[in-house]
Amino acid sequence: PRSTPLYSRQRQMCIRDRYISTRDNSKEYSFEQVFIKGLADDGGLFIPKEVKKYSAEQIKALSNLSYQNLAKEIIYPFIGDFMTINELSDIVDRSYSVFRKDNVVDLIKLGDATILELFHGPTLAFKDIAMQLLGNFYEHYLKKNNKNINVIVATSGDTGAAAIDAIKGKKNMNIFVLHPHNKVSLVQRKLMSTVKEKNVFNIAIEGNFDDCQNLVKSMFADKEFSNLINMSGVNSINWARIIAQSVYYFYTYFQIKDDRPINFSVPTGNFGDVYAGYLSKKMGLPINKLIVATNQNDILHRAISRGKYEAETVLETNSPSMDIQIASNFERLIYDLNDFDDRETQKVMSGIKEDGKYIIPEDKMKKIDRDFLSASINENEVLDIIKEVYAMHNIVLDPHSAIGFGALKKVNIEGNNIVLATAHPCKFPEAIDKSIGIKPDLPDELKYVMDEKENYDIISNNLSKTQQYIKEKI
Ligand SMILES: *Cc1c(COP(=O)(O)O)cnc(C)c1O
């Protein structure tokens, strides 16, 4: 890469590779531990001990890089001695060679706004961008340490497919994906269940996404089980995913050539993607506002607009990848809001566990207001937005991306407004058909999945049954 001198300079100036837990910041972890464990033993989330800011000059030095070279620059300071820059460089290039766009993502003008298309990877959702990298990080780790691993992941539809594609056929590892039975779209399920590699296992849980996520959390907490099977997780709390996602905020910033403030509207479920935007801002990227766009499962909208973080029952909507009431990554923001105080964070989190809510104090709401806006979009609005955008611009947004677009309109903000398009519309043909009477086609190279034989097992929402199933398979 032409920018090698930059790596070492930034490495020294922007060390971000020592990690702590949001619930106990006295103990340090390496990137390797953070990546493999996913969640800290104390139940907290990993974050860098310190996120040093790039100077304006350092940011400028990144501005003309290809997406791949930018990714190397952004990610390297976070990973410490997990791998060398040459190893990272090779992994980034290989990971993104499977995308349908040379620069991984694409920017499309849509009236006053810009759509950031993040769905040009193998499973048609933004999650591929981080997950392809993670698959290769695992491979590197397993080779280096001569280990076996079982990845267990809960999915509301897109994570599972992206993780399976990234891990299928890799040596010394299996992947088990728990999806809520009958609550993911047919295309989403087929992208998971038609994969034939022997290290891939699909489980349909009779419950909703939060049930799946709770099962995975309980399996992690069960030390005897998780140690026995060398369990690892790739859910959106995994720090490696966050840093991979922050790259496209930088990349987009560099593509926008005028000086108005830049805002990102982010279709949000687990608060992972939008947190990556927040992290970019912490790294010094001049982002004005991050718009948290939710569907009717609007816990984050209620938190950000009214200071009330309180889970309600999960509603099934036409944007299933955001049908979530417990936004796991929000704890990382809670830690910042509480002035990096681990004890306070612990208190807030046990309050949420006990009373189901966190009433965010006035002074902390002021901090939220500096960086975030929010809006919630209901099912009918989603269909209307898809129709309107199609009529005006001849572009078909998927329901999640439509929520990003609709939220941007609702908050009514000036500037360079970017909407993250998080999935390809063909993943959600039912909703698109209902809105505009069209069923968008899968890209040619993926059409075959619709006719392939499916393979998945249905299990009740029960921890020991799920654990038993996994033990039998490995
Ligand atoms: C996962 C997902 C989201 C939500 O992302 P979070 O990081 O969980 O907030 C939005 N849209 C699509 C299509 C997704 O797959």
Side-chain angles (χ1 to χ4, degrees):
R2 69 160 192 71
S3 47
T4 305
L6 210 59
Y7 292 126
S8 49
R9 201 169 66 222
Q10 276 170 8
R11 188 76 182 266
Q12 283 161 10
M13 296 171 85
C14 304
I15 289 295
R16 308 180 173 122
D17 63 357
R18 302 303 310 162
Y19 292 86
I20 47 114
S21 157
T22 48
R23 298 191 197 177
D24 176 4
N25 59 23
S26 64
K27 196 172 156 204
E28 284 192 14
Y29 302 84
S30 68
F31 175 79
E32 182 171 296
Q33 290 172 304
V34 165
F35 166 52
I36 294 300
K37 280 171 157 305
L39 195 71
D41 286 338
D42 56 36
L45 303 197
F46 293 117
I47 44 167
K49 196 169 176 186
E50 191 184 354
V51 177
K52 284 215 181 104
K53 273 194 176 186
Y54 288 115
S55 66
E57 192 187 324
Q58 284 174 316
I59 288 187
K60 199 157 170 246
L62 301 171
S63 63
N64 289 318
L65 301 176
S66 66
Y67 189 96
Q68 288 79 349
N69 285 345
L70 180 62
K72 297 164 198 173
E73 295 279 358
I74 302 284
I75 295 167
Y76 191 52
F78 284 105
I79 66 173
D81 53 13
F82 180 58
M83 58 177 75
T84 66
I85 183 60
N86 288 336
E87 287 165 333
L88 175 66
S89 185
D90 173 53
I91 281 180
V92 167
D93 290 339
R94 274 194 288 128
S95 299
Y96 294 141
S97 68
V98 298
F99 280 62
R100 290 180 299 279
K101 298 278 169 194
D102 289 345
N103 272 310
V104 183
V105 302
D106 208 6
L107 290 151
I108 310 270
K109 264 284 181 213
L110 214 167
D112 294 339
T114 302
I115 303 290
L116 169 60
E117 291 185 349
L118 300 170
F119 52 71
H120 297 293
T123 71
L124 310 169
F126 84 94
K127 292 186 171 85
D128 286 322
I129 295 178
M131 213 61 91
Q132 285 295 321
L133 213 58
L134 258 63
N136 290 318
F137 277 13
Y138 273 118
E139 189 168 65
H140 173 84
Y141 166 82
L142 295 175
K143 240 189 251 165
K144 187 169 126 186
N145 296 293
N146 196 17
K147 285 214 156 118
N148 292 296
I149 236 173
N150 287 290
V151 169
I152 304 191
V153 60
T155 185
S156 54
D158 290 333
T159 303
I164 287 171
D165 192 88
I167 289 170
K168 67 181 184 193
K170 292 225 183 310
K171 271 195 203 140
N172 300 328
M173 64 189 305
N174 296 310
I175 174 160
F176 293 85
V177 174
L178 281 61
H179 73 263
H181 187 39
N182 288 332
K183 291 190 173 67
V184 301
S185 83
L186 183 67
V187 179
Q188 284 182 314
R189 196 184 69 217
K190 293 242 178 191
L191 284 168
M192 299 191 278
S193 62
T194 61
V195 175
K196 290 193 184 61
E197 275 80 355
K198 292 216 159 41
N199 68 338
V200 173
F201 301 92
N202 280 291
I203 305 171
I205 295 290
E206 292 177 316
N208 59 34
F209 169 70
D210 286 338
D211 295 327
C212 297
Q213 189 159 254
N214 283 332
L215 283 171
V216 174
K217 278 186 185 160
S218 306
M219 285 189 253
F220 264 112
D222 179 348
K223 284 292 149 218
E224 202 187 313
F225 177 79
S226 60
N227 290 334
L228 176 77
I229 68 159
N230 270 336
M231 180 170 168
S232 188
V234 292
N235 271 108
S236 73
I237 52 153
N238 193 303
W239 183 257
R241 284 181 64 180
I242 305 279
I243 54 181
Q245 288 169 201
S246 68
V247 175
Y248 44 75
Y249 288 91
F250 279 83
Y251 182 78
T252 303
Y253 173 77
F254 296 134
Q255 308 306 308
I256 302 291
K257 301 296 180 201
D258 80 69
D259 290 341
R260 290 177 304 159
I262 183 164
N263 307 300
F264 288 93
S265 182
V266 188
T268 296
N270 247 326
F271 203 70
D273 206 5
V274 72
Y275 182 85
Y278 173 76
L279 176 69
S280 308
K281 190 170 179 180
K282 276 168 69 117
M283 283 191 263
L285 192 70
I287 295 173
N288 179 35
K289 289 285 194 278
L290 294 156
I291 300 154
V292 175
T294 75
N295 64 23
Q296 277 150 292
N297 296 295
D298 62 349
I299 179 167
L300 287 169
H301 171 55
R302 283 180 279 120
I304 288 163
S305 62
R306 277 175 264 149
K308 204 166 172 199
Y309 184 85
E310 182 172 23
E312 291 175 355
T313 46
V314 182
L315 302 171
E316 280 176 50
T317 74
N318 53 18
S319 48
S321 301
M322 291 156 56
D323 289 348
I324 289 166
Q325 282 287 345
I326 308 157
S328 311
N329 279 290
F330 199 58
E331 180 168 344
R332 291 192 162 110
L333 185 68
I334 290 175
Y335 181 79
D336 279 18
L337 295 177
N338 286 281
D339 304 313
F340 320 108
D341 186 330
D342 51 356
R343 291 273 162 92
E344 274 307 313
T345 306
Q346 216 177 56
K347 250 191 247 162
V348 171
M349 294 316 294
S350 51
I352 292 174
K353 197 164 183 196
E354 272 148 40
D355 320 324
K357 65 177 174 223
Y358 172 40
I359 303 299
I360 307 171
E362 196 67 28
D363 59 320
K364 298 182 178 35
M365 284 305 289
K366 285 215 179 89
K367 289 192 202 166
I368 288 184
D369 292 344
R370 274 203 313 249
D371 300 317
F372 297 98
L373 292 168
S374 69
S376 153
I377 305 290
N378 71 33
E379 296 241 277
N380 288 330
E381 289 172 314
V382 169
L383 299 179
D384 288 345
I385 294 159
I386 295 171
K387 195 183 283 175
E388 193 186 310
V389 168
Y390 184 64
M392 282 183 70
H393 306 283
N394 204 26
I395 283 175
V396 181
L397 293 179
D398 98 284
H400 306 78
S401 312
I403 287 171
F405 191 75
L408 177 65
K409 286 208 157 165
K410 272 199 185 173
V411 303
N412 189 22
I413 189 169
E414 289 288 310
N416 285 303
N417 293 326
I418 317 294
V419 178
L420 274 61
T422 48
H424 192 294
C426 73
K427 277 190 125 167
F428 306 96
E430 295 82 6
I432 309 289
D433 189 26
K434 217 166 158 185
S435 171
I436 55 175
I438 292 174
K439 284 195 176 173
D441 275 342
L442 271 83
D444 286 342
E445 61 273 32
L446 283 167
K447 286 206 169 102
Y448 74 94
V449 300
M450 297 313 285
D451 304 320
E452 293 284 296
K453 192 174 156 295
E454 290 191 80
N455 197 357
Y456 64 93
D457 292 301
I458 303 164
I459 301 183
S460 60
N461 176 20
N462 178 294
L463 178 62
S464 60
K465 277 194 186 143
T466 312
Q467 288 176 317
Q468 194 54 39
Y469 175 93
I470 291 169
K471 280 197 255 179
E472 279 164 17
K473 294 292 180 188
I474 60 182

